[in-house]
């Protein structure tokens, strides 16, 4: 059975992971080993558990303790300490309102290699320096729903296991294989070379007038395709575009010149992820 502890003192060190440590501090908690992340809401926690992540402790709003969602999570976290308090006490401590009244501190796993996440993959997404965790989370949700088999992030991207990215993505980060490029892998030159060695043709999503149509049959017929998306402000760097096999632009109307990268990813994944 899980051990319940009603919080009477929010200064206890066991609560640091929930309210006093930054995302970066959690990431580096066991450095050089993988650190900690926070999974919020029963659905997301279940997805993380299904993916094999280890629960460390739970924080649950008191009124949710006896509900079926919390009970189902605790049944899978036997022996894990459970801290509980009222909403009016938790919100000021956390700095946000809990989704469905619960959050779980979990141990990160070592990141797989590019070769491991791409094994058997037909379509993958590559994110270049996307720094907004909301966008990263939304892209993962689209990738999971719209036929992407894996996601690769460059070293400057926001971490997909940041709380907000997980929350926005509804835990889909636990359903799609992914990895983050080591800083020692030079992007785009070395990263692109790895993708080519794995048999992928690369598609740069960029605002260029000489681009292919996103519906071009050559793209759908490609055996393996990597869809490369750029940072929120400037998009893909020129070197990345030059290194890609194709450049694709999403046709737009009403004088609109671009889409948010998360919205663009959904269009690209839907169109390029379909079987011929």
């Amino acid at each position: 059975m899980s051990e319940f502890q009603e919080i009477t003192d929010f200064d206890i060190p066991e609560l640091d992971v929930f309210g006093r440590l930054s995302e970066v501090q959690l990431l580096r908690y066991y450095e050089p080993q993988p650190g900690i992340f926070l999974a919020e809401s029963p659905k997301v926690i279940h997805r993380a558990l299904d993916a094999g992540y280890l629960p460390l402790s739970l924080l649950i709003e008191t009124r949710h303790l006896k509900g079926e969602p919390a009970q189902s999570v605790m049944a899978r976290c036997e022996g894990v300490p459970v801290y509980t308090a009222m909403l009016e006490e938790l919100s000021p401590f956390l700095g946000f309102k809990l989704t469905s009244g619960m959050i779980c501190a979990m141990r990160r796993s070592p990141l797989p290699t590019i070769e491991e996440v791409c094994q058997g993959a037909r379509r993958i997404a590559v994110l270049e320096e996307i720094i907004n965790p909301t966008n990263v989370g939304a892209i993962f949700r689209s990738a999971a729903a719209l036929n992407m088999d894996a996601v690769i992030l460059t070293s400057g991207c926001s971490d997909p296991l940041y709380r907000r990215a997980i929350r926005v993505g509804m835990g889909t980060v636990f359903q799609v294989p992914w990895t983050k490029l080591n800083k020692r892998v030079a992007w785009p030159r070395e990263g692109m070379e790895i993708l080519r060695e794995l048999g992928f043709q690369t598609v740069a999503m960029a605002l260029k007038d000489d681009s292919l149509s996103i519906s071009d049959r050559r793209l759908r017929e490609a055996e393996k395709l990597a869809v490369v998306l750029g940072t929120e402000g400037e998009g893909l760097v020129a070197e990345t575009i030059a290194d890609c096999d194709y450049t694709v632009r999403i046709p737009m109307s009403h004088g609109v010149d671009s889409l948010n990268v998360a919205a663009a990813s959904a269009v690209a994944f839907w169109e390029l992820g379909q079987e011929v």
Side-chain angles (χ1 to χ4, degrees), residues 54 67 118:
L54 177 70
C118 290

Side-chain angles (χ1 to χ4, degrees), residues 45-65:
I45 294 168
H46 278 299
R47 287 180 173 174
L49 292 169
D50 289 344
Y53 288 92
L54 177 70
L56 300 174
S57 57
L58 285 157
L59 183 62
I60 303 178
E61 186 185 338
T62 302
R63 69 187 178 94
H64 287 278
L65 273 176

Side-chain angles (χ1 to χ4, degrees), residues 113-129:
T113 64
I114 296 179
E115 291 80 3
E116 288 170 337
V117 299
C118 290
Q119 186 173 9
R122 173 180 170 269
R123 295 291 185 265
I124 67 171
V126 181
L127 313 189
E128 179 184 272
E129 308 299 285

Side-chain angles (χ1 to χ4, degrees), residues 164-239:
R164 182 150 186 82
I166 297 173
R167 179 177 178 175
V168 170
M170 293 295 292
T172 48
V173 66
F174 306 119
Q175 297 175 288
V176 181
W178 67 275
T179 195
K180 201 168 188 179
L181 291 179
N182 190 295
K183 290 182 179 179
R184 293 190 294 271
V185 177
W187 177 264
R189 181 175 52 83
E190 293 180 1
M192 288 285 192
E193 184 58 33
I194 293 172
L195 292 176
R196 289 196 180 93
E197 289 175 357
L198 292 173
F200 286 92
Q201 292 181 279
T202 50
V203 175
M205 301 300 300
L207 301 174
K208 292 177 66 69
D209 292 334
D210 58 350
S211 303
L212 283 182
S213 167
I214 196 170
S215 60
D216 191 292
R217 189 170 181 83
R218 285 172 290 180
L219 301 175
R220 285 199 182 184
E221 291 178 345
E223 182 179 351
K224 292 184 175 182
L225 208 60
V227 183
V228 189
L229 297 146
T231 187
E232 291 88 350
E234 302 299 322
L236 294 171
V237 299
E239 185 181 358

